[in-house]
Structure formats: C-alpha cells, structure tokens
Amino acid sequence: MTQASENKIYRAKGVFDINGKLLEANDAMYLFLGTTRKENAPLYTITKPDLVTLPKNVENGTPVFDGIITVSNFNEISFELNAQIIFENNCFIVFAEADVKGMFEMNKRMSRINQQVNNLQRELIREKKKLETANTKLQQLNFEMNKYLGMAAHDLRNPIGNSFAYTDLLISDYENIQKEDQISFLKIINKQCSYALTLIETFLDASKIEAGILDLNLNKHNFITIIRESIEQNRMFAEKKSQQIVLEHDDDLMLVTCDREKMLQVVNNLISNAIKYSEPGKTIIVNVEERGDSLQTKVIDQGPGIANEELGLIFKPYGTASTKATAGEKSTGLGLTIVKKIIESHKGNLKVKSKLNFGSEFSFSIPVQQTI
C-alpha cells in the first residue's frame, strides 16, 4: 500500500449469512477486521446488533440498520464499525466508509484492550476458583478438626476415668491404704496423665488431621508388655462388672516395631469396648500370636454381638451399631475409627467377626518389622 493510498477513504463491504457469519468481503473490510487472509472470513461474526430482530421483508436495497455494528472473531476480539446493513438474497450486506489506516490502527488498539480485558476476566475466574477451592478446603479442615477433637475427647475418657477412680480411692480411704499401694496408685495416675497429654498433642495437631496422617514414633517394643499394661489399665472397669480379662500368648517376649503409645491406644479401645458390651461375669480373651512376619492380636468378648448389616458402620466416624452397652456406658462411635487409622498407619489391617448373641472378635495384624 502506498503512502497516498494509506489515507484513502475506502468503502468497506462484507456479506454475512443469516446467522451473522462472514461469507466474503472486499479488501477494505478485511483490513478493517485486522486481516488480509480471506480464508479467515468464517471466523468473523456480527454480534451487534441482534440480526434476528432486524426486518427481513423489505425491498432489495432498503437499509434495515444504520449505526454502529460489532464484529467479533474466534479470539473474542471485537471490532466496531459505523455501517449500514441491507438484507438481500437471504444475506446481510454491510457497507461502511472508513479511513482504513485510521480504523485499522484504532481496531488494533481496541483489540489489545479487549485482549487485556479478556485476560483479566480469565484471571479473575481462575482466582475465583482458587478462592472457592480454598473455602471448600477450609470447611473440610474445620470438619476434620471437629471430628478428631471429638475422637480425642472420646479417648481421653479412659485415662481421665482411671485417674479419677484412683484419686477417689485415695481420698475416700486414705488412712486404710498402705504407703506402698498409695505410691503404686500415684504411679498409675501419673502414667495415665502422661498418656492423656500424648493424646491431646496428637489430635490437636490440625495440620496432621487435615492431611490424614499420624506421625509414628517407631521403635522396637515387647508387644506383650504393651498388652499387659492395657489390661492393667482396664482391670478396674472389668472388676466392677465381675469380668475377667485373660491373656493368651506363646512367648513372654514378642518384639515388634511400633509406636508404643498409639498401639496402647488401640488395645485400650478394643478391651474397653469388650468390657462395655459384655454382660457382668463374662470373660474377655486377648490372644496374641505370631503369623509369619506379622503379629496378630485378637480381642474376643462374650457380648450380644453385632448384626451383619451393621458391621460396615462401626469403623466409620460416628458410626454405631444398634448393640447397647450392658451397663449404660455411652459411646460416640469414634473409638474404632481411631483404631483403624492407627493400624493402617502401621501398614496393618483390622477385622471384625461377630454374630448376634454369640459375641464379637476384633483382630488386627501389623508387620513385626517397620521402617524406622
């Protein structure tokens, strides 16, 4: 294009179909739309005015619109032109006089502005999605925190209940209790308080709860010692219901790599549940045996059992069976959820066998050797 022709006023013409899609155009129209490539014609569409509203039953050559039209391309870039529209042979013919160079430059600027606006809109949509995701995550975090705080409260009942029982005994019968027994009781209370603090520290860690991860303090322990400690902690509750807790094992020394406090928590939950749901005078069996590279522990009660259709509920948060505790003890339905999480974090598995009126057997297996 020569310098003389750059400032020439051109009559731009474009033919659009009934839906507003460009069919063909002269060079002036293509220059106005920012392209010289005729193969791009189908990419341009009249978006304003609404062609559906324009009259169609007019004589050929009669204008159906006179004013500013908007033509958009596939990049969502819009071009505006002061034009006249004629409807002829089922097509819309657009005529416009334009300083091609001036309009071309103006449209390029408008295109850049439109592109920037579109980019900002897309960025706004992305940021909105991020905010919605963050809000959803926050809601999930609040739910998880509340859920696990409930779990912590549930499991704190055992150590606090034990401590209360021993302190109540010391206060009510202090003069008749031998000094050696008093010291023994205080040691138990001290250990129970230490265990309670460990539970609080574990379950109030919101980041661990949200991530669904329990950090393990893995060391090699004699598992029978852990079992005996749990039995001792629960013995008082069993005796109140005239129940016996019997430990069955092959060897006094059964080493396993585990988190001692969390494994104690598991056994405490299972034994306390067995006590809770067994009738007075019944026997609770804790069986430990090695099976290849794993250690299997069973807690067997003589309670009322659990209906088969309810077995899938008991490991879910707040899931409870219709079976009732025999002495009115309360349950939040959280203990077994914690047990399952701890066992799985030890790369083990938890199972239950139960039949109505024939008691329940909760068993878990963990590898003898864990990666420290």
Side-chain angles (χ1 to χ4, degrees):
M1 184 181 291
T2 66
Q3 182 66 36
S5 64
E6 284 182 352
N7 297 321
K8 186 177 180 178
I9 301 298
Y10 279 86
R11 185 168 178 79
K13 178 183 177 182
V15 180
F16 295 79
D17 68 14
I18 195 70
N19 296 313
K21 184 174 291 186
L22 180 61
L23 299 175
E24 58 179 314
N26 63 6
D27 290 341
M29 180 63 78
Y30 281 122
L31 284 172
F32 168 72
L33 296 177
T35 182
T36 58
R37 300 177 60 186
K38 295 183 180 180
E39 60 267 28
N40 285 339
L43 302 176
Y44 294 88
T45 304
I46 295 176
T47 54
K48 290 182 182 179
D50 184 358
L51 299 181
V52 175
T53 65
L54 299 183
K56 311 293 190 303
N57 298 322
V58 295
E59 293 183 6
N60 287 344
T62 303
V64 295
F65 180 84
D66 196 340
I68 301 296
I69 70 170
T70 302
V71 181
S72 300
N73 69 8
F74 69 104
N75 287 324
E76 299 182 358
I77 299 174
S78 299
F79 302 90
E80 291 187 345
L81 179 64
N82 189 10
Q84 188 178 79
I85 299 178
I86 293 172
F87 186 73
E88 190 173 284
N89 298 324
N90 209 37
C91 292
F92 292 100
I93 303 173
V94 175
F95 294 99
E97 288 187 350
D99 176 349
V100 173
K101 180 183 177 184
M103 292 298 292
F104 186 48
E105 292 299 324
M106 182 187 73
N107 279 327
K108 284 201 299 184
R109 290 195 297 271
M110 289 298 296
S111 296
R112 286 194 294 269
I113 292 172
N114 284 336
Q115 191 65 53
Q116 290 172 357
V117 170
N118 289 332
N119 289 339
L120 288 173
Q121 288 177 335
R122 283 191 286 268
E123 184 63 28
L124 182 61
I125 291 172
R126 283 194 293 268
E127 292 300 321
K128 182 181 178 182
K129 288 182 178 178
K130 288 180 182 178
L131 182 60
E132 290 173 349
T133 300
N135 285 336
T136 300
K137 191 173 182 179
L138 180 60
Q139 290 175 354
Q140 291 174 344
L141 175 60
N142 286 334
F143 174 78
E144 291 296 323
M145 287 180 66
N146 290 333
K147 181 177 72 175
Y148 281 95
L149 284 174
M151 291 180 179
H154 172 268
D155 279 300
L156 282 169
R157 293 174 66 182
N158 269 345
I160 292 175
N162 284 338
S163 299
F164 176 79
Y166 280 107
T167 53
D168 186 57
L169 186 61
L170 284 169
I171 292 170
S172 62
D173 203 21
Y174 174 77
E175 293 181 354
N176 296 322
I177 300 174
Q178 298 294 321
K179 185 176 180 180
E180 293 79 7
D181 292 334
Q182 292 178 17
I183 293 173
S184 176
F185 290 170
L186 289 172
K187 285 181 178 179
I188 292 173
I189 292 169
N190 179 266
K191 184 172 289 187
Q192 292 290 288
C193 289
S194 174
Y195 173 54
L197 286 173
T198 300
L199 281 177
I200 292 171
E201 290 170 358
T202 299
F203 289 103
L204 292 185
D205 190 336
S207 62
K208 294 177 184 177
I209 291 171
E210 191 276 335
I213 297 171
L214 286 176
D215 289 337
L216 299 179
N217 180 21
L218 295 175
N219 286 290
K220 190 166 288 188
H221 297 283
N222 183 358
F223 198 69
I224 298 303
T225 301
I226 296 174
I227 297 292
R228 283 184 172 140
E229 183 174 340
S230 177
I231 291 173
E232 191 59 35
Q233 289 178 6
N234 287 277
R235 191 177 300 281
M236 180 182 294
F237 299 103
E239 288 175 350
K240 285 182 178 180
K241 298 178 75 171
S242 301
Q243 297 169 344
Q244 282 189 319
I245 305 175
V246 176
L247 173 59
E248 297 177 346
H249 60 97
D250 296 329
D251 196 336
D252 282 343
L253 184 64
M254 303 180 78
L255 296 177
V256 64
T257 303
C258 67
D259 184 312
R260 185 183 183 281
E261 295 303 320
K262 289 184 174 65
M263 202 51 58
L264 183 62
Q265 185 180 351
V266 166
V267 181
N268 271 336
N269 265 284
L270 297 181
I271 292 178
S272 65
N273 278 349
I275 294 170
K276 185 186 302 181
Y277 291 101
S278 293
E279 292 289 346
K282 298 295 184 179
T283 299
I284 295 157
I285 298 173
V286 181
N287 177 277
V288 184
E289 61 181 17
E290 291 189 39
R291 289 195 172 184
D293 295 332
S294 296
L295 202 64
Q296 184 183 73
T297 302
K298 297 179 182 178
V299 178
I300 305 166
D301 65 44
Q302 295 176 307
I306 304 168
N308 187 60
E309 61 272 17
E310 295 180 341
L311 290 177
L313 298 174
I314 60 176
F315 295 116
K316 296 180 179 180
Y318 305 101
T320 55
S322 57
T323 305
K324 302 299 181 183
T326 56
E329 299 98 328
K330 294 181 180 180
S331 174
T332 62
L334 293 170
L336 289 176
T337 304
I338 299 173
V339 168
K340 188 173 187 292
K341 187 175 183 67
I342 293 174
I343 293 300
E344 289 175 349
S345 70
H346 280 78
K347 302 176 184 176
N349 60 78
L350 176 65
K351 298 178 181 179
V352 58
K353 293 180 182 178
S354 189
K355 187 176 180 181
L356 285 176
N357 303 316
F358 288 93
S360 301
E361 174 188 297
F362 286 85
S363 63
F364 64 89
S365 296
I366 58 172
V368 172
Q369 184 64 42
Q370 301 271 349
T371 302
I372 299 179

